[in-house]
Amino acid sequence: MVVQIPEMDFGWIVPEIAMTVFAAVALLLTLFRKKNSTWLFVEAMPLVGAIVALYFTFQTWNGNIDIFNNLYTIDNFGVFFKGLSLVILILVTLLSYRYIDREDMARGEYYSLLMFGTLGMMIMVSSNNFITIFIGLEVMSISIYILAGLMGGNAKSVEASLKYFLLGAFATAFLLYGIALIYGTTGMLDIREIAGYVNSGNFMVTPTFMAGLALLIVGFGFKTASVPFHMWTPDVYEGAPTSITAYMATGVKAAAFAAFLRVLFTAFHPFLSGWTYMLWILAVATMTLGNITALKQDDVKRMLAYSSIAHAGYILIALTVGDRTLSSTVLYYLLVYSFMTIGAFAVVIILGRQGSPNTGIESYAGLAGRHPVIAAVMAVFLFSMAGIPPLAGFMGKFYVLTDAIRGGYYWLAIIGVLNSVVAAYYYLRVVMYMYFKEPEAEIGAPDVSIGSTLAIAISVVVVFYLGIFPRLFLMIAHTSSAIFM
Amino acid sequence: MGAIGFKFVVFIVAALLVIVSSLLMTTRKNPIHSALWMIVTFFAMAVIYLLLNAQFIAVAQIMVYAGAIMMLILFVIMMVSLDNGAQEQKRFPMAMGTRLSWALVVVVLLVELMFAALFYQATAKVGSYPAEAVASLGNAKTMGMLLYGKYIFPFEIASILLLVGIIGAVVLSRKNK
């Protein structure tokens, strides 16, 4: 038996190869860099790599092909999320430039791990096989564990890294156990094969299978920071370097939701009635707990961490409804959410100083008087998160709640609306501090750089664009999620 | 009593050994004793793998886990050299009631899983490498064909995973300039 690997297959994974090569080159450049010479080439790697990978990713749009013995899949759903993770990589890199310098982190490793993390996301969102999904998820997670601890001298950063690693390893075990139980009952690892087998009629739902499904939900629930698997989120988001927090809150969450959505809507869609109530409880708990705990936070970074938990709850509403034709909502919401979250964290970064992050809410007092532009963009991001029209966050919430009503989940829609009202309080509280409070202490000039300005500018434009003209990207999201139909 | 009966007896002995030694491993106060019991667990697991006709995994289990990984664990224990004071304090300050209720939850879940596994006939499809095929092809050969053939893509990604792990170990343990 001779196994042949078709050479054609490699043409489809050029974006992944590009990411790997650029990450490795960034490492090597760091190794052979002369002392006191420029960091420019190392710093350019993630940007150039992401742009090259983006170009080749868009070439595979409408590709729809299974490669490497069905272990890897090129489809529009994967292309959408690959594109999203690469755009997130670009934004995070832009706002890292000044920040890395300021906090004195290991640059070469930082950028190459960012790229390896993105590679992991790209792999986990475009596979229909549990093995590839799992390995992609691990590449992503391990890169993030390390990135969270890169602020070596900072005890909080080390704590964040260790906490995320230990709990993450635990969640990985749950996920793996779930996959093992499903493999044990069906004998298959390909989620489309499982779907076909389940629909074929000679399949019997066993408790073992359902236990496997439940464990899978636990594993993915951890990665998406859903209540009750959210315990790590506030501490890790607070302790990690802020640029990495932005990366975790957007990239990791988007990739985890993408894999979650693919697994649930492909393999387990026939058991909709089996998991929909589990997700119902998760969605309600995630929204409510995230929002209510955020009310009490006086630290903006921590508040944004709870807010990101709450946003995961809104996305879970769309998953709970379980309507395959409406899954584009999840994609749209994640797109919107990524831009507004990165924007808000970028503002948090530029207000900080070396050694004093200035994330307390009192640092924001009177910001509008001193730096009207920064206060205005922060207000845009916060209003968008609160879901105030015409910003993108409103459209995201609008589609999610419409889904819930179309699917007949009226209570879920009501709880969602009530939660948005609660959330408005803590977002507007920061705005109130910025515009109507007198500053208590001088925090100095903001640490603005070209990179962070660019990242914030892109985010603001996108937040307005997606809020006022949602149609184009909604259509793209719809085409991407057509794989489930 | 034929070959099947013999296999069954060996399995029962190995399984009991795994359970007892892993229980002992988690309850020992002295970390070195825990580590030693862990080796016993690994060896007993290897016997179970052998019974399942998975010779390659059995050998890998002994060489990698009982050999290399165990050495690392022992090294770490000796280097960190826990002082007695640290061992004395209670590591899980929980009330008896809380402990019992957690234990109950764990036991209920395990029993459920056991019943589920015992009383429901699995309807799984048979893989392309049942025990007979493996016996005629040879274990390592089958593994190699799968790893470097069908599963080449995840295998390559796993190498990146290892690279990331190495970078992490270096960058996190390096002293700050």
Side-chain angles (χ1 to χ4, degrees), chain A residues 71-72 146 153 177 186 197, chain B residues 113 123 125 150 153 157 168 176:
Chain A
L71 283 161
Y72 204 59
I146 303 162
Y177 201 12
T186 61
Y197 175 53
Chain B
L113 208 57
T123 47
K125 108 179 171 182
K150 187 179 177 202
F153 185 76
I157 305 301
N176 267 345

Side-chain angles (χ1 to χ4, degrees), chain A residues 87-380:
Chain A
V87 170
I88 290 172
L89 172 67
I90 293 177
L91 292 176
V92 170
T93 311
L94 283 176
L95 46 100
S96 300
Y97 285 149
R98 184 84 191 82
Y99 185 65
I100 299 289
D101 212 14
R102 188 169 92 200
E103 306 291 343
D104 197 25
M105 285 186 254
R107 266 182 258 214
E109 289 83 352
Y110 178 90
Y111 292 118
S112 67
L113 284 173
L114 266 188
M115 283 185 269
F116 279 129
T118 312
L119 174 72
M121 291 170 196
M122 291 164 73
I123 289 164
M124 75 183 274
V125 297
S126 42
S127 178
N128 276 313
N129 193 294
F130 273 129
I131 290 198
T132 318
I133 292 176
F134 178 74
I135 294 215
L137 184 125
E138 276 307 284
V139 172
M140 173 189 85
S141 308
I142 290 186
S143 308
I144 307 284
Y145 299 148
I146 303 162
L147 284 168
L150 269 188
M151 263 156 68
N154 184 323
K156 267 194 170 172
S157 167
V158 175
E159 184 203 333
S161 175
L162 198 64
K163 201 173 244 176
Y164 193 27
F165 172 64
L166 288 177
L167 291 174
F170 213 57
T172 301
F174 274 105
L175 189 69
L176 208 51
Y177 201 12
I179 293 174
L181 286 182
I182 287 163
Y183 181 64
T185 43
T186 61
M188 294 160 194
L189 283 167
D190 190 296
I191 54 177
R192 282 165 310 183
E193 268 182 43
I194 295 177
Y197 175 53
V198 159
N199 283 327
S200 69
N202 47 19
F203 174 77
M204 207 169 49
V205 183
T206 57
T208 328
F209 185 81
M210 287 317 274
L213 175 56
L215 289 172
L216 265 186
I217 291 180
V218 173
F220 280 119
F222 178 88
K223 290 290 170 202
T224 55
S226 312
V227 178
F229 319 112
H230 69 292
M231 299 301 185
W232 56 279
T233 319
D235 289 343
V236 173
Y237 280 21
E238 193 191 352
T242 314
S243 53
I244 296 308
T245 310
Y247 191 53
M248 278 195 277
T250 55
V252 174
K253 198 167 278 204
F257 264 118
F260 198 12
L261 189 69
R262 195 192 274 271
V263 169
L264 277 185
F265 278 32
T266 310
F268 301 113
H269 206 264
F271 308 108
L272 185 64
S273 55
W275 49 263
T276 189
Y277 66 91
M278 290 194 231
L279 288 190
W280 195 95
I281 296 169
L282 277 193
V284 170
T286 309
M287 284 189 291
T288 314
L289 201 129
N291 280 323
I292 289 182
T293 327
L295 290 178
K296 293 188 297 185
Q297 303 305 321
D298 283 328
D299 185 293
V300 174
K301 207 170 160 186
R302 214 173 160 84
M303 186 273 278
L304 286 173
Y306 280 107
S307 127
S308 109
I309 296 178
H311 282 290
Y314 298 124
I315 299 170
L316 280 171
I317 294 183
L319 287 182
T320 310
V321 177
D323 189 333
R324 282 171 160 174
T325 54
L326 298 176
S327 52
S328 57
T329 318
V330 178
L331 277 64
Y332 189 75
Y333 199 103
L334 280 169
L335 185 70
V336 168
Y337 163 81
S338 299
F339 281 99
M340 58 198 190
T341 308
I342 288 191
F345 278 115
V347 174
V348 172
I349 287 182
I350 60 176
L351 286 180
R353 282 302 58 136
Q354 185 179 15
S356 63
N358 288 336
T359 51
I361 195 167
E362 63 284 349
S363 305
Y364 290 74
L367 194 65
R370 286 172 293 141
H371 308 291
V373 179
I374 297 179
V377 293
M378 187 65 172
V380 167

Side-chain angles (χ1 to χ4, degrees), chain A residues 412-454:
Chain A
L412 203 55
I414 292 171
I415 296 170
V417 171
L418 287 178
N419 262 293
S420 316
V421 178
V422 174
Y425 171 79
Y426 61 83
Y427 293 126
L428 295 184
R429 181 158 164 252
V430 179
V431 176
M432 192 271 284
Y433 262 79
M434 290 194 300
Y435 280 88
F436 303 115
K437 279 253 182 179
E438 288 307 312
E440 285 160 18
E442 187 51 46
I443 59 161
D447 195 12
V448 184
S449 68
I450 302 170
S452 53
T453 315
L454 207 57

Side-chain angles (χ1 to χ4, degrees), chain B residues 152-171:
Chain B
I152 185 78
F153 185 76
F155 184 72
E156 292 293 333
I157 305 301
S159 67
I160 295 177
L161 184 64
L162 288 180
L163 175 65
V164 171
I166 294 169
I167 299 173
V170 171
V171 76

